[in-house]
Structures are given as C-alpha cells and as structure tokens.
Amino acid sequence: MNIVHQFLNLAQAQMLGLRSKTAWERLGRRLVVGAVPAGHVSRQEGTAVGVGVHPVVRELGRGRYVVALDWYEVYGLDQTEAVDGSPTTTVVTVEEYKAEWESRKTSGDIRSSSDTPTPIYSFVAPSEAKTASKSLKDKGLTTKKNRDTSPPKKSAVNNDSWAYVPSGLTADDRAKLGADVELAYCVMHLIHYWRVRQALPKDAYIDMSRDYCRERLGGKQGANWDRTRSLMLESGIMERTDTHDITDDYGLGVSVSTPRGVEGNRAYGYRLRADLRHSTFRRTPLTDPRAIRASRPNVSGYTLRWLKRNLMRITIVPVPDDVLRAIAEADTDGTGTVEDRVDAYRETIRWIDEGAWQFEPDGFSGRVHTNITNLKRELRPYLRVDGKPLCAVDIPCSQLAFIGLAAKAAARQHRKQFVDDDFFATWERDIYQHLADGLSLDRKTVKQQLTQAGLFASNRSDHQKTAVMRRFKAEFPLIAEYIRATKNYKPKATDPQETKDKPYRVLAQKAQTYERQYVIDTVCDRLRRERPDMFATTIHDSVLMSRDDAEFVRLVMLDEFSKHNLNPTLKVEDYAKDQ
C-alpha cells in the first residue's frame, strides 16, 4: 500500500524552507528543469474508508485513513534559480534565519523569553521595520468599537470580482448607500441575474429568500443583507412586494392573499426602481472585500478549479436575431413573453462574450451552475474553444440511473433489496422508450410525466396518479418503494428550513449528489489527472469537450460505469452539425 509520507502542514513546510511554485515566482525565482517536489502541503483533509482517488496522509487503523482532499507541491531553495530581469529579493535559509534570530536576541534587538524562533511566515530577510512592533493597545485595535467603526480596507481591483450595475444609478443614489454601496451592487446584480435566468419581464418581482441573501452577502448573522436591504428600500432604489395572490386549490374560485416573508410561505419579491430596471446593466469592478466575497463563491479542490479555468476558455460567435426569436417562440416551458425570452438570451450571450463567468457549486448537492448550464441547448452550437465547436457526451435517463445507484447503496446499508432485477438492464436500453412503447405514448411525454413531474413531486401530488407513474410502479415495485420511502423523510431539527418545508426533495438531493459524484468527482477528476491540458466542462449530467477528445471522454465514462456493473449506450453529440 502506497501511503504518502511527505505530507506537511504549513508551519512544517515553512520551517524546512519550502515554498510553492507560485510563491517562489513572486520572489523572482523559478523552478529548475526536472525539479521534483520536496513535499506536499495539505490544505484540506478528511477521513476515508479504504484507499480511493485521494492521496493518503496517514493511516488510522481498521481500514480508515486520513486523506488529502486538497493540496499543493512545495520546493526548496536549491530547486530554484533566479529569473533574469526579475527584481531580486533576499532569500534566507532556515539556518540563516535562526542565526539572525539568535544574533538579534543577543544584541537586545528582540526581547523574547523563548529560545525557539517563531515559524517563518516569509522567507524574505526580516527588516528592522518588521521587528520593531507596537502593542495592539498603542495601535488602537483593542476595543470592539474601533473594529466596528473602522472603514473596510480597500483592496486592489480584481478582474474576477464584478457585478452588473444599472447605468441609471446616480451619484446621489450612491451617496445614500454610503459604505455599503458595493454590497448594494451585489444585490442589484442578483436581481438582474435571476430575472434573466428565469426570462421574466423587467417589471417582475424576483423572489429571493432571506436565508439565501444572508448567506450570499455574509456578515454576522446576515447583518450585511439586513442593513443593505433597509438602505435600498428606504432610499427607493429597490421595491418589495409583500403579498401574493393565489387561487384556492379546491376550485372554489376564491382568491386569497397570503403574507410573504413568513416561514413556510413564499419569499419576498424584489425589483429595482423603474428607471434602473429598464436601463442597461454594465459590468462594474468591485473593490470592497465584503462585496468581493459575496460576488465570488468559494471554489475549492483541484477538479473544480480546473473546470473553472476551462470555462474561461469558451467564446461564442454571433447568433442571428431570427435564430433567437425562433428559439423563444418554440420554448413552451419558458416564462414571460417571446420578447422577454429573446432579451434574456441576448443578455446571457453578452455575459459570455464579455467574459463575465459564473461558476457556483450549490449547497443542495454540489452541482455546479455556470453560464453554460443556464444557456439554451439550441445556442450550444455557437460556443467555441480555440475557434472550434464543441461536442457533448450525455447520460441517457440519468436521473433514474443515479436514483438506482442511491438505492443500491441503501440496500447495502439496510441489507434489503431496493432495486428490481431488470431495472438497470431496462435503463441501459432506454427506460423512457420502454415505458412509451407499453403505453403507446411518445418518449417526450413519458420523460415529462416521470422525471419532470412524478418522481420528484410529493407522494400526495396528483402527478403520482398519471398513467406513466402507475406503469412505472407496476413494472419496478422495489425501486418505486425506495422512491416513496425516501420522499417520506422525517426532517431533523438540524435540517435546513427548505428540507423541513419540503422533505420530499430529499430524493432529488440524493439523485443530484450521485450525479455530481459521478460526473465531477469521478469522470472530470480522472480527465484532469490523465489529460490536464484538455478542455472539458459540465452541464450537470453531461460533459462538453472538443471533437478531438470526445471518444476519449466517452470511453472514460463507460469505464467508470463498468465499475458499477453498468453498460449504458453513450453517444457523442456534435454541436457543429446542429448549426
């Protein structure tokens, strides 16, 4: 068993004089040709049963290991060389640092009761200015009042941190928002983003829950959202609707108004002032660290960062207006008018064209949402990487496949059979078509009634009574029982409010989690390790790549399915043929 012994923590690496490649480059040095890492620093660790794809840091016994979920390589000074023309920086070794420390202690320059030097947090030789420090009290940083009233530190503009802000916002509007102006930019961006994503009219109210906004804007107990919302509402920059009219489900024709923002009811709806929501939104850089954190979700792990870098390689060629209108007219599932949908398509294309990339793993299942996942399928033929159109490998009937894998895992845990003997064999042949043939329906109708309605709706929903659902339950009673039992989940006190309100969504969470584990954690992670220079990105249950890599990706996906004793039919979809 190959257990990696060279894993270090940050302090250990610093005491050994080891730094990452990027850190050495900042000091004007580069790695020599053929340099082998002197060690690895683990950013994030976890525990695992058995040895998998993550390198092992140490063994815990009884088949359990501490594994590195995220790490980077470090190198020593002797593995680097100075870069010609780069500004030189004095770099000291650990021995020189200790000698300097002892010399300063002996001369009285440093007053310390400890004989052990502090960990080296910089390998740049310390200056007199760094060693001469003042107490926190002298700097005025000891009271809570000073910390709360100090203005936020402004950092340099980061091109990756931006928000789309209406051009009609005036200097007077910005003055009313004060120090929270860039947090307000983030709110404006979110309202605009969700309106475009849902293809709603510009005058529509956008539902945004308090929990979502508090989590997105941060601050202690959601203070940033509460404060910014109040400022925007009081200044008239943003408007809120408090009620929502609904019609009685029993068909009595009674229109009742239910309060918004109440636990269990619909969230408040927000929109910007009339002149703002009808003006052009322009990409605006952010400098406030609070706004930067709100606009840029944390992306950790090699595979996710690799996918994000790949996403930034995508360009889009111009799409004719008549094509956009034809797509909008054929979009029977869309919201708003045809003009609203055309406007949403144009804005989505503009974001890609301007390089305004969105890459956000959700907290529900870890699924990644990007500009491409939100792009209409009919517009994918206009995407390019290095000037070439893309291909995709899609998993047919994927939701049922991942539900089946979740049921297999539950069967092992509970020692009870949850999967019918012929379920996966039917899935491999196309389960939608199988049900359609038995009911004399078309495949699209079966897919809509099964996965888009029946499977993920409440057990009490009328969607459970359709002919497709009745046929599915009759042919696959074991998997149908697993689905029913999973949607009858009893929420726990620690569950999020959304799960408490709709416990049947646990089934969708399980299916999407297994999808993410297969597509991102397994397939894409393998692609990154075996072909790090290739382009690949995901659209939930499918992988996009260039035409040259399509067959390789298909074989990798088949190989990973074979580890579950599955052999589906995976086809390569060439978008160049659809244009």
Side-chain angles (χ1 to χ4, degrees):
M1 184 178 299
N2 182 22
I3 298 181
V4 180
H5 292 285
Q6 67 268 30
F7 268 97
L8 311 166
N9 59 38
L10 180 59
Q12 291 170 333
Q14 290 168 341
M15 291 303 295
L16 292 173
L18 305 177
R19 297 179 71 92
S20 68
K21 175 184 175 183
T22 305
W24 282 120
E25 290 174 348
R26 285 200 295 266
L27 293 175
R29 303 184 69 84
R30 65 186 174 195
L31 299 182
V32 298
V33 177
V36 178
H40 300 78
V41 173
S42 176
R43 285 196 186 100
Q44 182 181 0
E45 296 178 354
T47 58
V49 178
V51 180
V53 297
H54 299 292
V56 176
V57 178
R58 62 181 181 275
E59 186 174 0
L60 297 176
R62 297 185 178 182
R64 298 176 68 248
Y65 303 89
V66 174
V67 297
L69 303 179
D70 190 13
W71 69 94
Y72 60 92
E73 299 167 345
V74 288
Y75 303 83
L77 175 63
D78 58 344
Q79 296 175 290
T80 66
E81 59 185 7
V83 179
D84 295 337
S86 298
T88 58
T89 305
T90 304
V91 181
V92 297
T93 63
V94 175
E95 290 73 16
E96 291 171 338
Y97 182 86
K98 289 181 178 179
E100 177 74 10
W101 181 274
E102 294 297 336
S103 174
R104 289 176 181 273
K105 284 176 59 181
T106 304
S107 62
D109 289 344
I110 300 177
R111 299 178 181 179
S112 174
S113 59
S114 173
D115 294 331
T116 304
T118 55
I120 305 174
Y121 292 100
S122 172
F123 294 108
V124 179
S127 64
E128 294 291 340
K130 289 184 179 179
T131 57
S133 61
K134 295 182 179 181
S135 66
L136 290 177
K137 186 175 181 179
D138 293 337
K139 294 179 180 180
L141 297 176
T142 57
T143 64
K144 185 176 186 299
K145 179 179 179 181
N146 285 337
R147 291 197 300 271
D148 288 347
T149 56
S150 299
K153 182 180 178 181
K154 297 288 185 179
S155 62
V157 174
N158 187 324
N159 289 333
D160 290 337
S161 303
W162 44 264
Y164 274 88
V165 179
S167 57
L169 197 68
T170 65
D172 185 51
D173 292 330
R174 292 182 173 88
K176 292 177 182 178
L177 297 170
D180 293 325
V181 62
E182 291 195 9
L183 287 176
Y185 288 172
C186 295
V187 176
M188 297 174 194
H189 174 85
L190 288 175
I191 293 175
H192 180 58
Y193 168 75
W194 286 108
R195 184 193 69 79
V196 170
R197 183 169 171 178
Q198 300 172 68
L200 294 173
K202 293 183 178 181
D203 292 329
Y205 286 96
I206 310 302
D207 294 354
M208 296 197 303
S209 71
R210 179 186 61 183
D211 292 343
Y212 168 78
C213 294
R214 282 184 166 183
E215 180 182 0
R216 194 65 190 261
L217 266 66
K220 189 175 182 179
Q221 296 181 346
N224 287 346
W225 162 247
D226 295 342
R227 186 178 61 256
T228 306
R229 177 189 61 180
S230 297
L231 281 172
M232 296 179 72
L233 291 174
E234 291 170 2
S235 61
I237 295 174
M238 184 171 69
E239 302 170 356
R240 183 181 76 181
T241 179
D242 296 334
T243 58
H244 174 55
D245 292 333
I246 61 173
T247 302
D248 193 311
D249 289 339
Y250 296 99
L252 300 179
V254 179
S255 180
V256 294
S257 180
T258 56
R260 289 199 182 203
V262 178
E263 189 172 301
N265 288 353
R266 190 174 174 183
Y268 286 123
Y270 299 93
R271 67 181 183 184
L272 299 181
R273 195 175 62 211
D275 62 313
L276 298 179
R277 61 180 181 262
H278 286 278
S279 61
T280 302
F281 282 71
R282 296 201 174 107
R283 182 172 168 172
T284 305
L286 301 174
T287 58
D288 186 336
R290 300 171 303 167
I292 290 174
R293 286 192 294 270
S295 67
R296 188 172 54 190
N298 182 41
V299 177
S300 61
Y302 278 128
T303 303
L304 287 181
R305 289 200 293 269
W306 180 72
L307 289 172
K308 185 176 181 179
R309 288 195 299 271
N310 283 342
L311 182 71
M312 296 177 180
R313 295 172 58 183
I314 297 177
T315 58
I316 190 167
V317 298
V319 183
D321 289 340
D322 58 333
V323 172
L324 295 178
R325 180 165 291 278
I327 296 172
E329 291 173 349
D331 186 7
T332 57
D333 298 330
T335 55
T337 64
V338 170
E339 293 300 328
D340 294 330
R341 293 197 285 274
V342 170
D343 174 68
Y345 302 158
R346 287 198 184 105
E347 192 70 355
T348 304
I349 293 170
R350 180 167 75 102
W351 292 344
I352 296 174
D353 198 43
E354 293 180 356
W357 296 110
Q358 293 136 3
F359 188 95
E360 184 174 357
D362 65 36
F364 184 66
S365 61
R367 256 184 167 189
V368 174
H369 301 272
T370 68
N371 308 61
I372 308 305
T373 61
N374 300 328
L375 188 70
K376 292 293 293 183
R377 185 199 171 282
E378 293 84 354
L379 296 175
R380 294 177 195 170
Y382 296 89
L383 298 175
R384 298 288 185 272
V385 169
D386 300 329
K388 299 178 182 178
L390 301 179
C391 296
V393 179
D394 184 58
I395 304 171
C397 318
S398 63
Q399 294 302 313
L400 285 170
F402 295 122
I403 289 175
L405 292 177
K408 283 182 66 176
R412 291 192 296 269
Q413 179 182 357
H414 298 285
R415 298 183 180 181
K416 180 181 178 181
Q417 187 174 359
F418 286 125
V419 182
D420 303 271
D421 294 336
D422 58 341
F423 175 76
F424 280 116
T426 308
W427 169 73
E428 291 175 356
R429 296 193 304 268
D430 191 343
I431 195 169
Y432 295 152
Q433 192 60 53
H434 170 78
L435 294 173
D437 294 340
L439 294 169
S440 299
L441 296 173
D442 61 273
R443 187 179 184 276
K444 182 178 180 181
T445 301
V446 170
K447 182 178 180 180
Q448 289 175 340
Q449 292 189 17
L450 188 62
T451 58
Q452 297 177 9
L455 283 183
F456 302 116
S458 167
N459 287 329
R460 301 177 183 177
S461 170
D462 289 339
H463 293 301
Q464 307 299 331
K465 302 174 184 178
T466 62
V468 173
M469 284 302 298
R470 289 198 301 270
R471 183 62 177 258
F472 177 81
K473 293 174 184 178
E475 290 207 26
F476 309 106
L478 293 180
I479 197 78
E481 174 58 24
Y482 168 78
I483 292 170
R484 187 198 64 80
T486 303
K487 291 194 291 188
N488 278 342
Y489 173 76
K490 305 299 181 184
K492 302 174 184 177
T494 55
D495 286 331
Q497 188 59 45
E498 193 171 9
T499 301
K500 294 177 182 178
D501 294 338
K502 299 178 180 179
Y504 58 86
R505 297 181 77 244
V506 169
L507 178 68
Q509 186 178 38
K510 285 182 178 291
Q512 292 178 20
T513 299
Y514 272 82
E515 172 199 281
R516 183 260 303 166
Q517 290 174 346
Y518 172 79
V519 175
I520 296 178
D521 299 350
T522 303
V523 172
C524 288
D525 184 66
R526 181 172 168 180
L527 297 177
R528 175 190 65 82
R529 288 184 283 109
E530 296 185 10
R531 291 193 180 181
D533 295 330
M534 73 169 284
F535 167 82
T537 191
T538 63
I539 303 181
H540 300 322
D541 61 355
S542 62
V543 181
L544 269 67
M545 76 299 295
S546 66
R547 191 179 306 170
D548 296 338
D549 296 314
E551 185 61 19
F552 172 71
V553 173
R554 190 183 74 86
L555 293 176
V556 167
M557 295 174 71
L558 284 174
D559 184 50
E560 294 299 333
F561 268 125
S562 69
K563 297 175 182 178
H564 298 282
N565 296 320
L566 299 177
N567 184 30
T569 300
L570 302 180
K571 296 181 180 179
V572 176
E573 184 177 6
D574 190 347
Y575 292 130
K577 298 178 180 179
D578 297 337
Q579 188 173 351

